[in-house]
Amino acid sequence: CSAIDACETSNGGCSAKAECRRTTPGNRVCICNAGYTGDGIVCIEINPCLENNGGCDRNAECTQTGPNQAVCNCLKGYSGDGKRCTYISLCSQNNGGCSEFAICNDTELTERTCTCKDNYIGDGFKCRGNIFQELLRDSNTSRFYFHLEALSIRDVAGPGPFTLFVPRTDVLNSDPRVKDWIAKGVMAQVLRYHMVGCASLLYNDLTTITNITSLHGDPIHISYSQNSLVLNNNAEITLSDAVGTNGVIHVINQILVP
């Protein structure tokens, strides 16, 4: 007589995912393979993600890749190896895309708010200070700023409101009269002729006005035709409505002469 091998056929009746082991003649035990659980007759693949998130961080997603195998991936807004995930502050890099003059606040995982700091106005992505500060920040108007500084003219740093008509930097640099005005000591008068006090006049406001008085005291004539605003029948407004906390700047293509 020979011993009956209970595992010889059909894996001894064990699951295809189990190992059939002979014990005594005619008998066997079924043991589920690694990564599976059950009684050996029925073996079910173990999903490690079902318990304790598969050992992943609570801010990670556990994804089963095989029997009792999984990978951990940090959720959006977090970084790490999945086992440990740390919150990524949107505001920690480049001020969250906000203006350098704004405060960035993280609100949700992928959200943040941008709020202009005190003494600045804007939407948080673009914030403007007073028009005296803004003159320096724009290459079109920076030369006008340096002329004001050289003559210690700080009118437009005050509370305002003001309206400024600023000749472009290239115009101020190329007009030969500027050096002559400086030499004669009248540059301050010329600069103040480009300033209007007690009003922050936007482009649309200017289309309804024919004359305004400058800080120099002389009037500025305004005409509107063919969708263009022209001052003193000579200087055209080429860029408009740069609004600051204490007024507005308009860029013009000629120097106004009182």
Side-chain angles (χ1 to χ4, degrees), residues 193 210-211 219-225 228-237 253-257:
Y193 186 51
T210 54
N211 287 285
I220 300 171
H221 176 67
I222 302 172
S223 55
Y224 181 70
S225 64
S228 293
L229 270 173
V230 179
L231 310 180
N232 292 349
N233 299 314
N234 181 39
E236 182 182 345
I237 293 178
N253 63 359
Q254 296 292 335
I255 299 174
L256 302 178
V257 182

Side-chain angles (χ1 to χ4, degrees), residues 15-18 31-38 42-46 66-68:
S15 166
K17 304 298 184 183
I31 301 171
C32 291
N33 295 335
Y36 293 84
T37 184
V42 176
C43 293
I44 300 172
E45 189 173 286
I46 297 171
N68 203 28

Side-chain angles (χ1 to χ4, degrees), residues 204-216:
N204 284 341
D205 300 323
L206 295 170
T207 62
T208 64
I209 300 171
T210 54
N211 287 285
I212 49 177
T213 302
S214 69
L215 290 186
H216 172 260

Side-chain angles (χ1 to χ4, degrees), residues 3-258:
I4 296 172
D5 183 352
C7 295
E8 189 172 10
T9 58
S10 301
N11 199 31
C14 300
S15 166
K17 304 298 184 183
E19 178 188 359
C20 180
R21 293 183 184 174
R22 295 170 56 189
T23 52
T24 55
N27 295 305
R28 53 92 177 101
V29 292
C30 300
I31 301 171
C32 291
N33 295 335
Y36 293 84
T37 184
D39 60 5
I41 305 298
V42 176
C43 293
I44 300 172
E45 189 173 286
I46 297 171
N47 182 354
C49 296
L50 299 178
E51 186 174 343
N52 196 32
N53 199 32
C56 303
D57 188 274
R58 64 189 181 91
N59 293 306
E61 180 182 27
C62 179
T63 304
Q64 184 184 6
T65 57
N68 203 28
Q69 294 177 325
V71 293
C72 304
N73 293 296
C74 293
L75 298 174
K76 188 175 181 179
Y78 292 85
S79 66
D81 60 4
K83 298 291 185 181
R84 184 174 180 180
C85 300
T86 54
Y87 173 62
I88 302 171
S89 168
L90 291 178
C91 295
S92 65
Q93 295 182 337
N94 195 32
N95 200 32
C98 303
S99 164
E100 61 178 308
F101 305 112
I103 297 170
C104 180
N105 283 307
D106 290 291
T107 53
E108 298 177 15
L109 293 184
T110 56
E111 299 293 332
R112 53 89 180 88
T113 60
C114 302
T115 308
C116 292
K117 295 177 181 177
D118 290 344
N119 300 319
Y120 288 88
I121 58 171
D123 59 7
F125 297 98
K126 190 169 186 178
C127 298
R128 291 182 175 273
N130 67 49
I131 54 177
F132 188 64
Q133 295 169 310
E134 292 305 314
L135 286 171
L136 182 60
R137 296 190 187 118
D138 187 334
S139 60
N140 281 311
T141 58
S142 58
R143 190 63 187 162
F144 191 84
Y145 170 89
F146 290 126
H147 280 298
L148 294 178
E149 275 282 80
L151 295 168
S152 299
I153 299 174
R154 292 297 188 97
D155 306 61
V156 293
F162 301 99
T163 301
L164 284 189
F165 301 105
V166 181
R168 285 197 321 260
T169 289
D170 63 312
V171 173
L172 285 169
N173 285 340
S174 61
D175 195 318
R177 296 175 297 173
V178 171
K179 286 184 179 180
D180 189 44
W181 290 329
I182 293 172
K184 291 180 179 179
V186 298
M187 190 62 183
Q189 296 170 329
V190 174
L191 294 174
R192 283 199 170 95
Y193 186 51
H194 293 78
M195 307 175 189
V196 176
C198 303
S200 181
L201 300 169
L202 298 176
Y203 191 91
N204 284 341
D205 300 323
L206 295 170
T207 62
T208 64
I209 300 171
T210 54
N211 287 285
I212 49 177
T213 302
S214 69
L215 290 186
H216 172 260
D218 286 356
I220 300 171
H221 176 67
I222 302 172
S223 55
Y224 181 70
S225 64
Q226 296 180 336
N227 296 322
S228 293
L229 270 173
V230 179
L231 310 180
N232 292 349
N233 299 314
N234 181 39
E236 182 182 345
I237 293 178
T238 56
L239 294 169
S240 62
D241 295 352
V243 177
T245 56
N246 65 339
V248 60
I249 298 169
H250 304 287
V251 178
I252 56 178
N253 63 359
Q254 296 292 335
I255 299 174
L256 302 178
V257 182

